[in-house]
């Protein structure tokens, strides 16, 4: 990741988006039958917004990109291959995982009328590798794109550099978007192949999307207004005030209020589609270079109290490990106990009692600041004096290099399979690892990804046990995504990154 890779999750455009009509206004949402316009409020990045899906990383950026551009597929642990395909019909692996054959669907076209081919897929994979932030481009680490072979319009063969067994999961991440061969800029006129096309766009206010009539699937909506509203209370108020039909990522208290109003429903996601709320301890800075201090911090945390207070009980207890709900997720590692007395003893042994540290946070997602506030208080109770440095919305990741230097840094995780998640953001050399450097663990994770079946599960559990014991992560809770919507809305898929391709208003 570089400075834009975790760019603002909450920033700008609140009053303007709510108080004034959107550009290219589509009027009121449809009340009856098929068609109509869905008005959705999501977190954007204000004036910094762009149609380039890799120049920002807010919810609005990705939801818009997924509506406009095709993907190879999406991860679905319930599906036969663990994925459901989009522009592909299959990803076939060689018996020894030495290569992969991608089968392109014959019925996909771009908005300019041209057919989507294997050449477009290969161009897109190379484009992402060259232009996306490091974390997003790591999906191709195990593939030799330079030796890829286009067999025909619908067949692409990708040789493997490393014979891992989970390439399907990597290729079907939401940031592996499909562009037309030769795409270099992103404007409303850029050819695309998703269920919608860009009609109008204005940074900081929103985007109007129109149905893509060349899309092969059934799309019920005529249009979508994606409104950029950074503040969570403003999104909730826009829903209750009738200005939008869908409000993404509500805080628990707001979700409770919305759910108590008979006009609305609240959609709550479940693992693996949950967001981890946590704090990273910078191992390159004292006192967190000392494993006793890190363990003391983990033992000092009262996870149940954080769940009950910061999330009002709506969530899942964390265990200092990322990505629950996947086949590779830890299931045998014991739940960390709350043991403040042992935490005090460890701090005294390390000479860290009374040391002052700074925890940097920002309201990047609902619950993050309240969680950090409680962690600061709980650590202070056992002798580590924590000063809270709360940045404005979007300020946590505004400078990614600076983020890597924070003494303690708030973090939120995205639902990515855990072994892939580790290689993406936790392996040695990644700024987001905040000083974690364990080549032995990196090698064990890499080896586990080459396995399958029970052997893979056993290796994954062993790695997670090491991470649980030694890592620099405080991860007390996982937050479901709480999305409020009018009762007549149906067919929205997903919580964190909702898809409106099958949505309808009645």
């Amino acid at each position: 990741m570089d400075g834009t890779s975790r760019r603002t999750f909450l920033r700008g455009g609140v009053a303007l988006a709510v108080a004034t009509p959107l550009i290219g206004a589509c009027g009121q949402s449809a009340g009856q039958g098929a068609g109509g316009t869905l008005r959705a409020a999501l977190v954007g990045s204000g004036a910094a917004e762009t149609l380039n899906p890799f120049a920002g990383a807010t919810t609005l950026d990705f939801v818009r990109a997924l509506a406009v551009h095709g993907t190879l597929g999406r991860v679905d642990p319930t599906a036969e291959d663990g994925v459901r395909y989009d522009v592909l019909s299959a990803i076939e692996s060689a018996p020894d995982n030495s290569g992969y054959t991608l089968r392109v669907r014959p019925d996909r076209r771009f908005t300019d009328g041209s057919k989507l081919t294997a050449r477009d897929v290969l161009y897109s994979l190379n484009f992402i590798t060259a232009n996306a932030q490091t974390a997003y481009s790591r999906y191709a680490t195990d593939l030799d794109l330079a030796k890829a072979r286009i067999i025909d319009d619908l067949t692409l063969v990708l040789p493997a550099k490393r014979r891992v067994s989970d390439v399907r999961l990597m290729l079907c991440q939401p940031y592996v978007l499909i562009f037309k061969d030769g795409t270099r800029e992103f404007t409303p006129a850029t050819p695309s192949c998703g269920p919608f096309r860009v009609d109008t766009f204005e940074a900081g206010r929103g985007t109007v999307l129109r149905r893509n009539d060349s899309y092969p699937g059934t799309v019920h909506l005529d249009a979508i207004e994606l409104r950029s509203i950074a503040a969570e209370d403003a999104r909730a108020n826009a829903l209750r005030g009738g200005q939008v039909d869908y409000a993404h990522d509500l805080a628990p208290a707001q979700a409770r209020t919305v759910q108590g109003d008979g006009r609305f429903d609240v959609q709550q996601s479940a693992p693996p589609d949950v967001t981890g709320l946590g704090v990273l301890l910078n191992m390159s800075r004292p006192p967190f270079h000392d494993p006793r201090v890190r363990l003391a911090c983990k033992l000092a945390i009262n996870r149940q109290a954080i769940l009950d207070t910061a999330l009002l009980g709506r969530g899942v207890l964390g265990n200092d490990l990322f990505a629950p709900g996947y086949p590779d997720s830890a299931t045998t590692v014991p739940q960390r106990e709350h043991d403040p007395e042992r935490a005090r003893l460890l701090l005294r042994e390390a000479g860290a009692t009374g040391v002052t540290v700074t925890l940097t946070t920002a309201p990047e997602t609902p619950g993050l600041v309240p969680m950090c506030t409680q962690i600061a208080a709980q650590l202070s109770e056992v002798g580590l004096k924590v000063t809270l440095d709360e940045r404005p919305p979007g300020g946590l990741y505004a400078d990614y290099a600076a983020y890597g230097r924070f003494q303690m840094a708030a973090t939120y995780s995205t639902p990515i399979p855990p072994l892939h998640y580790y290689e993406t953001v936790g392996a040695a050399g990644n700024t987001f690892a905040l000083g974690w450097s364990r080549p032995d663990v990196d090698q064990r994770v890499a080896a586990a990804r080459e396995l399958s079946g029970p052997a893979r599960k056993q290796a994954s559990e062993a790695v997670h046990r090491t991470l649980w014991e030694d890592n620099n992560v405080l991860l007390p809770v996982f937050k479901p995504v709480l999305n409020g919507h009018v009762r007549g809305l149906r067919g929205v898929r997903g919580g964190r990154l909702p898809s409106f391709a099958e949505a309808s208003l009645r």
Side-chain angles (χ1 to χ4, degrees):
M1 294 185 182
D2 62 17
T4 59
S5 65
R6 302 270 308 190
R7 190 68 68 184
T8 59
F9 202 81
L10 295 162
R11 183 171 67 195
V14 181
L16 184 63
V18 175
T20 62
L22 183 67
I23 50 166
C26 296
Q28 300 297 313
S29 62
Q32 302 290 332
T37 296
L38 171 68
R39 302 164 301 167
L42 303 103
V43 174
S45 56
E49 290 168 5
T50 169
L51 291 177
N52 182 342
F54 301 120
T58 67
T59 301
L60 181 58
D61 292 325
F62 278 116
V63 170
R64 178 177 55 228
L66 290 169
V68 172
H69 303 287
T71 62
L72 298 182
R74 60 183 173 89
V75 174
D76 182 351
T78 67
E80 182 177 356
D81 290 335
V83 299
R84 295 192 184 277
Y85 296 109
D86 182 15
V87 305
L88 301 181
S89 60
I91 298 176
E92 301 166 359
S93 60
D96 59 355
N97 290 330
S98 60
Y100 303 87
T101 300
L102 279 57
R103 306 287 184 185
V104 181
R105 290 178 52 172
D107 58 352
R108 295 299 288 268
R109 291 181 178 272
F110 290 100
T111 50
D112 64 355
S114 60
K115 287 186 176 181
L116 191 157
T117 70
R119 188 173 301 279
D120 301 306
V121 173
L122 179 57
Y123 175 82
S124 301
L125 299 180
N126 281 310
F127 182 93
I128 297 168
T129 301
N131 292 278
Q133 296 87 3
T134 303
Y136 301 145
S137 62
R138 286 183 68 91
Y139 79 93
T141 301
D142 303 311
L143 300 172
D144 194 344
L145 297 182
K147 295 181 179 179
R149 293 179 290 120
I150 298 174
I151 306 302
D152 55 41
D153 280 354
L154 303 180
T155 310
L156 173 64
V157 175
L158 301 176
K161 292 180 181 177
R162 182 160 56 117
R163 301 186 181 189
V164 298
S165 62
D166 56 4
V167 162
R168 290 183 183 86
L169 298 181
M170 297 173 65
L171 289 177
C172 291
Q173 294 299 317
Y175 46 78
V176 184
L177 302 165
I178 302 304
F179 313 120
K180 185 174 179 178
D181 184 12
T183 297
R184 288 181 173 80
E185 61 179 3
F186 296 90
T187 71
T190 299
S192 59
C193 62
F196 296 90
R197 58 178 177 80
V198 178
D199 182 27
T200 53
F201 165 75
E202 186 171 336
R205 297 184 62 186
T207 310
V208 175
L209 306 179
R210 301 285 180 185
R211 182 170 56 219
N212 175 11
D213 292 331
S214 66
Y215 184 75
T218 300
V219 179
H220 300 289
L221 295 172
D222 295 323
I224 304 174
E225 291 183 8
L226 299 177
R227 300 190 176 190
S228 179
I229 304 180
E232 55 200 51
D233 58 341
R235 294 194 300 278
N237 291 338
L239 177 64
R240 297 183 66 202
Q243 295 163 308
V244 300
D245 311 298
Y246 180 94
H248 184 264
D249 204 11
L250 301 177
Q254 296 155 352
R256 184 169 58 185
T257 300
V258 167
Q259 201 159 25
D261 188 325
R263 298 173 297 164
F264 308 109
D265 286 324
V266 173
Q267 177 189 30
Q268 178 170 327
S269 67
D273 192 13
V274 291
T275 299
L277 303 181
V279 171
L280 299 178
L281 310 175
N282 197 329
M283 294 174 63
S284 66
R285 297 186 59 182
F288 301 118
H289 65 294
D290 191 321
R292 293 171 296 183
V293 176
R294 298 197 300 274
L295 178 56
C297 292
K298 295 174 183 179
L299 294 171
I301 301 305
N302 187 334
R303 291 163 172 76
Q304 188 64 52
I306 293 174
L307 176 62
D308 293 341
T309 305
L311 299 184
L312 301 183
R314 299 185 77 154
V316 179
L317 283 179
N319 199 23
D320 304 327
L321 295 168
F322 291 109
Y326 290 99
D328 289 334
S329 300
T331 55
T332 63
V333 176
Q335 177 64 47
R336 183 94 61 193
E337 294 184 359
H338 177 219
D339 192 344
E341 289 305 318
R342 188 180 174 207
R344 291 186 181 95
L345 176 61
L346 287 167
L347 288 176
R348 284 198 298 270
E349 291 178 354
T353 301
V355 170
T356 299
V357 295
T358 300
L359 167 53
T360 304
T361 186
E364 308 291 14
T365 189
L368 189 61
V369 171
M371 180 273 302
C372 287
T373 302
Q374 286 190 267
I375 283 182
Q378 291 171 3
L379 293 182
S380 294
E381 287 177 3
V382 299
L384 194 64
K385 297 181 180 180
V386 180
T387 300
L388 205 63
D389 174 19
E390 183 178 346
R391 305 291 176 91
L396 187 62
Y397 299 111
D399 182 340
Y400 196 73
Y403 180 91
R405 295 189 294 270
F406 291 150
Q407 193 174 21
M408 301 174 70
T411 186
Y412 62 92
S413 68
T414 55
I416 298 174
L419 298 180
H420 184 204
Y421 190 95
Y422 178 85
E423 290 198 332
T424 301
V425 299
N430 193 304
T431 304
F432 195 59
L434 266 68
W436 168 266
S437 181
R438 285 286 298 273
D440 60 319
V441 176
D442 298 353
Q443 292 168 9
R444 289 168 60 193
V445 170
R449 290 190 55 224
E450 296 183 13
L451 302 173
S452 58
R456 180 183 176 112
K457 179 62 175 176
Q458 183 178 10
S460 179
E461 289 288 343
V463 167
H464 279 109
R465 182 61 184 247
T466 299
L467 291 172
W468 182 80
E469 293 171 347
D470 298 342
N471 70 13
N472 58 336
V473 179
L474 307 179
L475 198 65
V477 290
F478 286 90
K479 176 182 71 73
V481 184
L482 303 172
N483 299 325
H485 61 84
V486 295
R487 283 192 176 273
L489 179 61
R490 299 288 186 272
V492 179
R493 186 184 69 235
R496 183 180 63 93
L497 296 177
S499 168
F500 302 115
E502 301 169 16
S504 62
L505 281 165
R506 301 185 184 280

